[in-house]
Amino acid sequence: QMREPLLFLSLIVPALTWFYGRSRPDAWTQGGVWPLPQHIEYGKVNRTISPQRMFINAGSLEDCDIVQDNVRGYVERWFFPFPVTADPSASPYHLSIRIGSACPVGAPQQGMNESYSLKVSSEKAVLEASEVWGAIRGLETFSQLIFYDEKENTYKLRTVVIEDWPRFSVRGLLIDTSRHFLSVKTIKKQLDIMAANKMNVLHWHIVDSESFPYESIRFPHLSKKGAYSPRHVYTRAMIEDIIEYARMRAIRVMPEFDTPGHTSSWNSQSGLLTECFDSNGEDTNLPNLIDPTNEDNFKFLGEFFDEVVSTFPEKFLHLGGDEISDYLEECWSRNKKIRKFMKQRGFTNTTQLEDYYFTRLENVTSGLHEKRDRVFWQEVFDSNKPTESSIIHIWKGNTFAELAENIRQATMKGHRVIVSSCWYLNYVKYGTDWKSYVSGTVETNSRYYYCDPHDFIGTREQKKLVMGGVAAMWGEMIDNTNIEAVLWPRASAVAERLWSRREDTNDAEIAWPRLHELRCRMVSRGYRFAPTNWPDYCPFEFTD
Amino acid sequence: QMREPLLFLSLIVPALTWFYGRSRPDAWTQGGVWPLPQHIEYGKVNRTISPQRMFINAGSLEDCDIVQDNVRGYVERWFFPFPVTADPSASPYHLSIRIGSACPVGAPQQGMNESYSLKVSSEKAVLEASEVWGAIRGLETFSQLIFYDEKENTYKLRTVVIEDWPRFSVRGLLIDTSRHFLSVKTIKKQLDIMAANKMNVLHWHIVDSESFPYESIRFPHLSKKGAYSPRHVYTRAMIEDIIEYARMRAIRVMPEFDTPGHTSSWNSQSGLLTECFDSNGEDTNLPNLIDPTNEDNFKFLGEFFDEVVSTFPEKFLHLGGDEISDYLEECWSRNKKIRKFMKQRGFTNTTQLEDYYFTRLENVTSGLHEKRDRVFWQEVFDSNKPTESSIIHIWKGNTFAELAENIRQATMKGHRVIVSSCWYLNYVKYGTDWKSYVSGTVETNSRYYYCDPHDFIGTREQKKLVMGGVAAMWGEMIDNTNIEAVLWPRASAVAERLWSRREDTNDAEIAWPRLHELRCRMVSRGYRFAPTNWPDYCPFEFTD
């Protein structure tokens, strides 16, 4: 395979500073690719390309559902999103897709091959990939080489030679459907956008204290009593619809069922949660921790997760485990039944009871009818003793130094790691937080573009254990009305950090015109990519 | 006319604190009215009401375009927004609208009468108003008395006696179409929402340094050269469309053309702006102040504003005047021509040159073919000598004490005042900023609901000079993609502060269930009212 030396984008509009040192409002690339490919060399010519005269040949995989779905989507919608009458007289153009393996029957999983090569000349284009997943990534790249030529009022295609693959294997987005319900339509739109950003994991934080929108077939009372209303429920059919939609975009759907804390909404499961007491010994009526002393609960969890595993094909299962300490005092320490159990077992502190719970939970989830890799939030590593095969999801660290230390510690113990600490996108603020420090916030709460999961001192082996990161969009202040414009393009900064070569993406001021083009392209495709770098404009503004 | 003692909302869901002391996710009123009417007394019964069996009689004004437009809008869209099959067997219901004056031919103006009374019994409803403008406000109130009954899956109507009028005459929203262009569609949607919040002034900050989207017939080069692109221009027809759309909703459209600063985008007017120089004496090529030494410029401004006055019927004309000091040094002090002029006139400081500019601008705008009341940003009062009839738009004050002092000073000198300092909604932040202080921000940058323009020590006469306020949505980080969800319901807090009795609206925790119902109603009407009070839900979530 060919490895061309990197030639940087040749069509960059000079990003002159402007009023108040801001970027120019018209500083966008033409045919720039986001996230930046590993190797990209632009040709000297652009050619006119016409929507009516663009043909795709997918060779032996022409009948593959994923290929068909993507080819249709790109041809009908994504290649030519700008509302212009493009030149119908352009000569025909052919894109050949060559995929080196069969059409996948199952969902994408850890280890899926997303690499591809793309050669675009003025005569034709060839996209090669070992797997369909890589071809999907390559199709998006191809779509980004097409741009609108204002002067000629036509579409142009940049010629290019690209060799591309992801730097990290996990490039995720967390959505939280407990604090506010998100419609299937909203979730699908975010999947569309994730694919355009080459992100590959939807981390679905599906339930939490506030509501339980997951419909369990086996335990239907959970959503009947725990969902906000019968209209705030994900049925099995809706979930399968989302998983299939994600699969078509080479995106995994990793469910999270967070225990033993954040469980108030599970309360209809009799005996599952402990009673909690305030400092006066009064029942708070807000149970929020599972009762590990009740043997039935582990039986329940086993059956519950067995169903989860049937529903979600994803081989990673996120088991939560965060913020138990917030409720330890009121739900465990002040509870007589718990104290009695601890005494019987000889536990002298609640951490030992946590250890007990997680050991039992690991046993339960080891016995499911399909094997899963467990993911835990950081505290389970910090306080307890997860098995080495467990993946640790790092979310703490107010400074970059603290974050680095957290990653170092977990990888030192041999755990694979996913990083979210510096990508809590739900914390909105005024300014260009994707690249600049915003005063009044903690250090790791802005400059998303510059946070690198490999920024810690560790061995080559440790670095390999870092699987990637997840941009977290917690739902306290987010619902269908605002998720899209709050997420994007801020999450695109994370997407590029996790896909592209670090050496080529270490300056947001150089990246900005390419991000601006991405914003305008996505706006033309009908997605709410909000302004993120002070005054600017797009050739065609958002319209709904 | 009847003045019933205030009986507070009887159907409030108890706003129990919940997790983390937050409001309950289901704490909403049924048939609550936002902003709260001056006098409201609910009846004891609700009645079922059916979309198919609801009739409106507008009496003598049945042919009035504004009445027709509103009746149609409310009957077809706003009364029954929830996607349910409502009971068609309900008995018919009649709303009679009685308006005490003729159908207005012109636009609403300062002094328009927005008062109305509304009696809703289980048999019929009567809405009375002196002017059409009040009837529009009353129709919205009536629409808010209709709610969805989850149990019976029908619409219910609350019976009520209301006597209502606004506390302040100016209740505005500033939009900024220079930093980012906003489509006519986006602006119209905000006008819809303003009307639902009984807001009555669209303060259109139409041009600024960054771009000049206003198409002048007389000086077409201004937008040809100054707009971002030919697609980023408001033609005369588009502007008239917006003004008419606003008129139908009893909303005034007050244009702002800010001079002498913030004028970089006017640069195609030859000789208008001074050259500016950096500290090395190099031309910055970023002119941003008008040249007051060029006599032609006042002739130009006279002709320009004469056209503005023809375009905008609104009797208030906002002339800007803010932040000149930012460019004084580089654009005036370092400019030889300016220095020479100052010497000739005996000006020893640039403030005298500012005085000269504003005196000339006042003369120019006094001579327009239609009379206008001038509005200036606060600095013109702070530094210069505006005529007493000028309205001062207060936007400074990082603390509530500073803000109060600013209002006190301007009213003491006899100026009418509009307040914006505590309502800069463009400054987004994480949290419930409509009611709570958000740490890391200046004092006047959250708790919108609690900022009161009368919170200063002054005479009764001074208080009367306070006309109201304007919620400011500056456009640096705002465009079609995100304006709606960033604005609402945060701006609704401002709307209630400016409409309702202070005594009845001094506790956001009491107001919250009513605001929650407003959010859900507006979400059902298809507007992006975002979560603003931690986890919650609506009976029907937003769908687009």
Side-chain angles (χ1 to χ4, degrees):
Chain A
Q1 286 202 331
M2 151 237 64
R3 293 283 152 94
E4 296 291 336
L6 178 83
L7 267 183
F8 230 93
L9 299 181
S10 56
L11 260 178
I12 274 190
V13 175
L16 289 175
T17 56
W18 200 56
F19 279 111
Y20 318 105
R22 294 169 181 170
S23 304
R24 275 179 38 178
D26 58 355
W28 61 69
T29 50
Q30 293 187 309
V33 180
W34 189 284
L36 194 66
Q38 297 284 335
H39 293 274
I40 180 167
E41 186 179 358
Y42 283 105
K44 294 206 177 86
V45 294
N46 304 326
R47 64 157 276 157
T48 304
I49 186 163
S50 164
Q52 293 80 27
R53 311 272 283 162
M54 161 89 214
F55 305 96
I56 300 189
N57 181 320
S60 59
L61 262 66
E62 215 146 49
D63 295 331
C64 177
D65 57 348
I66 304 179
V67 173
Q68 284 181 341
D69 192 80
N70 277 277
V71 166
R72 196 183 314 115
Y74 278 99
V75 168
E76 290 174 8
R77 302 173 66 196
W78 304 148
F79 285 151
F80 307 102
F82 299 110
V84 295
T85 328
D87 182 10
S89 70
S91 58
Y93 193 81
H94 291 269
L95 165 64
S96 303
I97 306 174
R98 296 174 195 156
I99 299 168
S101 58
C103 185
V105 285
Q109 299 287 356
Q110 181 67 25
M112 71 199 212
N113 190 336
E114 297 173 87
S115 67
Y116 67 93
S117 73
L118 180 61
K119 295 183 199 177
V120 177
S121 74
S122 51
E123 286 77 42
K124 60 169 186 171
V126 178
L127 168 61
E128 289 185 301
S130 310
E131 297 186 359
V132 161
W133 317 122
I136 292 174
R137 303 291 173 244
L139 264 173
E140 175 60 32
T141 297
F142 183 83
S143 80
Q144 299 193 2
L145 300 170
I146 299 171
F147 64 95
Y148 170 63
D149 186 312
E150 177 89 42
K151 255 192 198 156
E152 301 185 10
N153 195 33
T154 56
Y155 286 103
K156 287 282 172 63
L157 173 67
R158 294 200 68 176
T159 59
V160 75
V161 175
I162 287 172
E163 196 71 22
D164 201 14
W165 63 89
R167 181 177 166 213
F168 290 103
S169 61
V170 171
R171 305 176 309 283
L173 172 68
L174 177 152
I175 58 169
D176 167 6
T177 54
S178 173
R179 276 63 179 255
H180 285 96
F181 187 81
L182 298 172
S183 69
V184 172
K185 187 170 178 184
T186 295
I187 294 171
K188 284 182 173 177
K189 281 187 173 190
Q190 306 325 300
L191 289 167
D192 287 344
I193 304 171
M194 286 173 69
N197 283 272
K198 298 188 172 69
M199 294 174 93
N200 66 350
V201 177
L202 182 72
H203 173 173
W204 192 353
H205 185 87
I206 191 164
V207 304
D208 204 298
S209 305
E210 283 82 354
S211 77
F212 196 101
Y214 172 77
E215 185 187 59
S216 163
I217 308 297
R218 186 91 182 246
F219 306 99
H221 53 273
L222 288 169
S223 60
K224 268 189 189 135
K225 302 278 183 175
Y228 282 141
S229 93
R231 285 182 296 274
H232 295 80
V233 168
Y234 301 102
T235 63
R236 178 86 173 230
M238 289 159 81
I239 294 168
E240 282 171 359
D241 185 19
I242 288 168
I243 292 168
E244 179 63 7
Y245 197 87
R247 186 179 86 95
M248 290 290 170
R249 284 148 188 80
I251 297 172
R252 303 153 57 183
V253 179
M254 174 176 70
E256 177 186 351
F257 289 89
D258 193 358
T259 69
H262 289 272
T263 44
S264 186
S265 69
W266 304 54
N267 200 24
S268 66
Q269 176 64 22
S270 176
L272 182 65
L273 307 185
T274 64
E275 277 183 288
C276 309
F277 302 91
D278 65 20
S279 53
N280 299 320
E282 300 286 332
D283 194 327
T284 63
N285 293 310
L286 285 174
N288 210 18
L289 276 188
I290 283 179
D291 183 352
T293 74
N294 183 348
E295 205 48 35
D296 288 348
N297 288 341
F298 297 105
K299 183 165 171 282
F300 160 74
L301 288 169
E303 292 175 9
F304 179 82
F305 280 114
D306 223 55
E307 184 184 314
V308 166
V309 155
S310 298
T311 309
F312 292 90
E314 166 60 31
K315 301 287 185 205
F316 285 8
L317 175 60
H318 204 305
L319 295 170
D322 59 323
E323 297 185 314
I324 307 171
S325 57
D326 295 4
Y327 285 84
L328 272 184
E329 180 72 17
E330 66 187 74
C331 299
W332 281 359
S333 299
R334 290 186 189 140
N335 184 308
K336 275 187 200 165
K337 190 183 164 204
I338 299 288
R339 285 205 305 270
K340 188 178 162 197
F341 181 84
M342 287 176 65
K343 206 170 167 188
Q344 285 170 343
R345 297 266 169 167
F347 296 166
T348 54
N349 56 58
T350 46
T351 303
Q352 291 170 304
L353 188 56
E354 288 171 31
D355 291 343
Y356 173 78
Y357 176 79
F358 285 117
T359 303
R360 295 294 307 270
L361 182 64
E362 289 207 328
N363 288 342
V364 157
T365 51
S366 296
L368 302 176
H369 74 278
E370 277 184 35
K371 196 173 151 38
R372 290 292 181 267
D373 281 11
R374 283 179 289 271
V375 186
F376 285 112
W377 290 111
Q378 181 179 346
E379 288 99 319
V380 180
F381 169 76
D382 291 344
S383 308
N384 311 113
K385 306 174 183 96
T387 49
E388 194 184 312
S389 65
S390 295
I391 297 156
I392 304 304
H393 195 157
I394 303 288
W395 70 280
K396 297 198 168 198
N398 285 339
T399 66
F400 287 106
E402 282 170 20
L403 167 57
E405 179 59 14
N406 291 335
I407 302 172
R408 194 183 72 84
Q409 291 285 352
T411 53
M412 206 165 59
K413 291 270 174 68
H415 290 289
R416 287 173 295 170
V417 154
I418 296 169
V419 174
S420 283
S421 314
C422 50
W423 294 316
Y424 267 44
L425 304 192
N426 53 308
Y427 292 120
V428 297
K429 57 205 85 84
Y430 189 70
T432 56
D433 62 356
W434 71 280
K435 69 180 172 80
S436 312
Y437 175 68
V438 178
S439 73
T441 60
V442 302
E443 191 181 281
T444 46
N445 207 340
S446 46
R447 287 176 289 181
Y448 308 134
Y449 193 67
Y450 292 110
C451 180
D452 197 299
H454 272 171
D455 269 351
F456 68 97
I457 295 167
T459 63
R460 183 182 290 258
E461 289 312 304
Q462 277 178 277
K463 302 275 166 145
K464 275 191 189 159
L465 289 170
V466 178
M467 308 177 80
V470 167
M473 181 50 60
W474 295 102
E476 281 86 349
M477 303 292 268
I478 288 292
D479 73 359
N480 294 332
T481 62
N482 63 345
I483 187 170
E484 200 163 294
V486 173
L487 259 179
W488 309 103
R490 293 161 76 231
S492 302
V494 185
E496 175 146 301
R497 175 56 51 230
L498 294 171
W499 178 280
S500 308
R501 276 160 57 102
R502 183 174 180 163
E503 311 86 283
D504 304 335
T505 53
N506 52 19
D507 188 341
E509 303 310 323
I510 292 173
W512 158 241
R514 209 162 26 81
L515 185 64
H516 190 171
E517 187 186 10
L518 175 74
R519 168 165 123 80
C520 294
R521 188 186 302 114
M522 295 306 287
V523 156
S524 286
R525 288 184 184 181
Y527 300 103
R528 293 177 179 267
F529 270 56
T532 188
N533 214 24
W534 307 118
D536 69 359
Y537 69 98
C538 290
F540 301 92
E541 299 294 343
F542 181 85
T543 177
D544 52 358
Chain B
Q1 286 202 331
M2 149 239 61
R3 293 283 153 91
E4 296 292 336
L6 178 83
L7 269 184
F8 231 93
L9 300 181
S10 56
L11 262 177
I12 274 189
V13 175
L16 289 177
T17 55
W18 200 57
F19 280 112
Y20 320 106
R22 294 169 181 170
S23 304
R24 275 178 39 177
D26 57 354
W28 62 69
T29 51
Q30 292 187 307
V33 181
W34 189 284
L36 193 67
Q38 297 284 335
H39 293 274
I40 180 167
E41 186 179 358
Y42 284 104
K44 294 205 178 86
V45 294
N46 304 325
R47 62 158 278 157
T48 304
I49 187 164
S50 163
Q52 293 80 26
R53 312 271 284 161
M54 159 91 214
F55 305 96
I56 300 189
N57 180 320
S60 59
L61 262 67
E62 214 146 51
D63 295 332
C64 177
D65 57 348
I66 304 179
V67 173
Q68 284 181 341
D69 193 81
N70 276 278
V71 166
R72 197 182 314 116
Y74 277 99
V75 168
E76 289 175 8
R77 304 174 65 196
W78 305 149
F79 285 150
F80 306 103
F82 298 110
V84 295
T85 327
D87 181 10
S89 70
S91 58
Y93 193 81
H94 291 270
L95 165 65
S96 303
I97 306 174
R98 296 174 193 154
I99 299 167
S101 58
C103 186
V105 286
Q109 298 287 355
Q110 182 66 26
M112 71 201 214
N113 190 335
E114 296 173 89
S115 67
Y116 68 93
S117 73
L118 180 62
K119 294 181 201 178
V120 177
S121 73
S122 52
E123 285 76 41
K124 61 170 186 173
V126 179
L127 167 62
E128 290 185 300
S130 311
E131 297 186 358
V132 162
W133 317 122
I136 293 173
R137 302 293 172 244
L139 265 173
E140 175 60 32
T141 297
F142 183 83
S143 80
Q144 299 193 3
L145 299 170
I146 299 170
F147 64 95
Y148 170 65
D149 186 313
E150 178 89 42
K151 255 192 200 156
E152 301 186 9
N153 194 34
T154 56
Y155 287 103
K156 285 285 172 64
L157 172 67
R158 293 200 68 177
T159 58
V160 76
V161 175
I162 288 172
E163 195 71 23
D164 202 13
W165 63 89
R167 180 177 166 212
F168 290 103
S169 61
V170 171
R171 304 176 311 281
L173 172 67
L174 177 151
I175 57 168
D176 167 5
T177 54
S178 173
R179 276 61 179 256
H180 285 97
F181 187 80
L182 298 173
S183 69
V184 172
K185 188 172 178 183
T186 295
I187 294 172
K188 284 181 173 177
K189 281 187 173 189
Q190 305 325 300
L191 289 166
D192 287 343
I193 304 171
M194 286 174 70
N197 283 272
K198 298 189 172 69
M199 295 176 91
N200 67 349
V201 177
L202 182 73
H203 173 173
W204 193 352
H205 186 87
I206 190 164
V207 304
D208 204 299
S209 306
E210 283 83 352
S211 77
F212 196 101
Y214 171 76
E215 184 187 59
S216 163
I217 309 297
R218 186 91 183 248
F219 305 99
H221 53 273
L222 288 169
S223 61
K224 267 187 191 139
K225 303 277 183 177
Y228 281 142
S229 93
R231 284 182 296 274
H232 295 80
V233 168
Y234 301 102
T235 63
R236 179 86 172 228
M238 289 159 79
I239 293 168
E240 284 171 358
D241 185 20
I242 288 168
I243 292 169
E244 180 63 9
Y245 197 87
R247 186 177 86 94
M248 291 288 170
R249 284 150 187 80
I251 297 171
R252 302 153 57 183
V253 179
M254 173 175 72
E256 177 186 351
F257 289 91
D258 192 359
T259 70
H262 288 274
T263 45
S264 186
S265 69
W266 304 54
N267 200 25
S268 67
Q269 176 65 21
S270 175
L272 183 65
L273 305 184
T274 64
E275 279 182 288
C276 309
F277 302 92
D278 65 18
S279 54
N280 299 320
E282 300 286 332
D283 194 327
T284 63
N285 293 311
L286 285 174
N288 211 19
L289 275 189
I290 282 180
D291 183 352
T293 74
N294 183 349
E295 204 49 35
D296 288 348
N297 288 342
F298 296 106
K299 185 165 169 286
F300 159 75
L301 289 169
E303 292 175 9
F304 179 82
F305 280 114
D306 224 54
E307 184 184 311
V308 166
V309 155
S310 300
T311 308
F312 292 90
E314 166 59 34
K315 300 289 185 204
F316 285 8
L317 175 59
H318 204 305
L319 294 170
D322 60 321
E323 297 185 315
I324 306 171
S325 57
D326 294 4
Y327 285 84
L328 272 184
E329 180 72 19
E330 66 187 75
C331 299
W332 281 0
S333 301
R334 290 183 190 143
N335 184 307
K336 275 187 199 165
K337 192 183 161 202
I338 299 287
R339 285 206 305 271
K340 188 177 162 198
F341 180 84
M342 286 176 65
K343 205 171 169 187
Q344 284 171 346
R345 296 267 170 166
F347 296 166
T348 54
N349 57 57
T350 47
T351 302
Q352 292 171 305
L353 188 57
E354 289 172 30
D355 291 343
Y356 171 79
Y357 176 80
F358 285 117
T359 303
R360 294 294 307 272
L361 183 65
E362 288 209 328
N363 288 341
V364 157
T365 50
S366 296
L368 302 177
H369 74 278
E370 276 184 37
K371 197 171 152 38
R372 289 292 181 267
D373 281 12
R374 283 179 288 271
V375 185
F376 286 112
W377 289 113
Q378 181 180 345
E379 289 98 320
V380 181
F381 169 77
D382 291 344
S383 309
N384 310 114
K385 305 172 182 96
T387 49
E388 194 183 311
S389 65
S390 296
I391 297 155
I392 304 304
H393 195 157
I394 304 290
W395 70 279
K396 297 198 168 197
N398 284 340
T399 65
F400 287 107
E402 282 170 21
L403 167 56
E405 179 60 14
N406 291 334
I407 302 172
R408 195 183 71 83
Q409 290 286 351
T411 52
M412 205 167 58
K413 290 271 174 67
H415 290 290
R416 287 172 294 170
V417 154
I418 296 168
V419 173
S420 282
S421 314
C422 49
W423 292 317
Y424 267 43
L425 304 193
N426 53 308
Y427 292 120
V428 297
K429 57 206 85 84
Y430 188 71
T432 57
D433 62 356
W434 73 280
K435 69 178 173 81
S436 312
Y437 175 68
V438 178
S439 74
T441 61
V442 302
E443 190 182 280
T444 46
N445 209 338
S446 46
R447 285 177 292 182
Y448 308 134
Y449 193 67
Y450 292 110
C451 180
D452 196 300
H454 272 171
D455 268 352
F456 68 99
I457 295 165
T459 63
R460 183 181 291 257
E461 289 312 304
Q462 276 178 277
K463 302 275 166 142
K464 275 190 190 160
L465 289 169
V466 179
M467 307 177 79
V470 167
M473 182 49 60
W474 294 102
E476 281 86 349
M477 302 293 267
I478 289 292
D479 72 359
N480 294 333
T481 62
N482 63 346
I483 186 169
E484 201 163 291
V486 173
L487 258 179
W488 308 103
R490 293 161 76 230
S492 302
V494 184
E496 175 148 300
R497 175 57 50 230
L498 294 170
W499 178 280
S500 308
R501 276 160 57 102
R502 185 174 179 163
E503 310 86 282
D504 304 335
T505 54
N506 51 20
D507 188 340
E509 303 310 323
I510 291 174
W512 157 242
R514 214 164 20 85
L515 185 65
H516 191 171
E517 188 186 9
L518 175 75
R519 168 165 123 78
C520 294
R521 189 186 301 113
M522 295 306 288
V523 155
S524 286
R525 289 184 184 181
Y527 300 102
R528 293 177 179 267
F529 269 56
T532 188
N533 214 26
W534 306 119
D536 69 0
Y537 69 98
C538 289
F540 301 93
E541 299 294 343
F542 182 84
T543 176
D544 53 357

